[in-house]
Amino acid sequence: MHAFTGCDTVSAFAGRGKMTTLKQVKMDKTYQDAFHELGRSWEVSPELFEKLQEITCHMYLPSTHTTEVNKLRYELFCARRGEVESSQLPPCEDCLFMHALRANYQAAIWRRSLQSQPFVANPTDCGWMTDEDGKLAVNWMRGSPAPDAVMQLLSCKCVRSCELPKCTCLSNGLKCTDMCRLQTCQNKAIEEEPVAQQSDSESDVDDIEED
């Protein structure tokens, strides 16, 4: 439970302390089974992740019957008519799975702490990645944070240049778009020119000239 709710190596859930989860663990066998299984293997099974999703849903809304974080995110967003901070919503399923991998990895390390020569999996297979300098960094999610149509609508209001930490695009790891105020920054995506395709008639003419 300590690894999943946040420790020195694994991030915590914003505004969600350990005491609430601990009380739920004492009363619910689903919680007990999930945390009993965490760290026994270096992989997170689909069955374990289903339990962790259910636990996360109850961390954000104890009275909910929803067991999938994506559905709960939508329900909370609609219930508050969009007037909600991101910290008030549970992480999306993709982010939660990466979080579960890191928590499971840390729990697995603790479970094997008394072994003289334990096998330790590669952390890059368990929710981390290596950055450009070869250092270990958190891999927050595998997919895109939003559909491409939504990403096209995001914009920053930089005037002279797009630089950290002021540029909201850079701060979120995004490329600047045509919606941004500054259109000459170095963070804009490079558009590839489409390759012209020869028509059948043009190719026939080329064949005749070669003959």
Side-chain angles (χ1 to χ4, degrees), residues 7-105:
C7 61
D8 290 343
T9 55
V10 183
S11 57
F13 296 92
R16 300 296 180 274
K18 295 179 180 292
M19 289 305 299
T20 301
T21 307
L22 180 59
K23 292 177 182 178
Q24 292 174 327
V25 168
K26 291 181 178 180
M27 297 184 296
D28 197 322
K29 193 174 184 301
T30 300
Y31 285 62
Q32 297 170 14
D33 292 342
F35 291 132
H36 182 71
E37 186 180 346
L38 198 68
R40 292 191 174 276
S41 169
W42 293 102
E43 298 178 353
V44 176
S45 66
E47 295 77 17
L48 174 57
F49 184 59
E50 285 181 6
K51 294 177 183 178
L52 295 176
Q53 275 206 82
E54 183 177 349
I55 291 172
T56 305
C57 288
H58 285 101
M59 287 171 61
Y60 282 82
L61 189 62
S63 60
T64 186
H65 295 291
T66 302
T67 59
E68 297 178 18
V69 288
N70 283 352
K71 287 185 178 180
L72 183 60
R73 284 170 61 89
Y74 177 76
E75 291 173 4
L76 290 175
F77 185 85
C78 293
R80 300 178 184 180
R81 298 184 179 181
E83 297 180 359
V84 57
E85 297 291 335
S86 59
S87 60
Q88 297 175 307
L89 300 175
C92 67
E93 183 177 332
D94 189 22
C95 286
L96 182 62
F97 181 73
M98 301 305 287
H99 176 85
L101 286 177
R102 292 188 292 274
N104 185 74
Y105 184 88

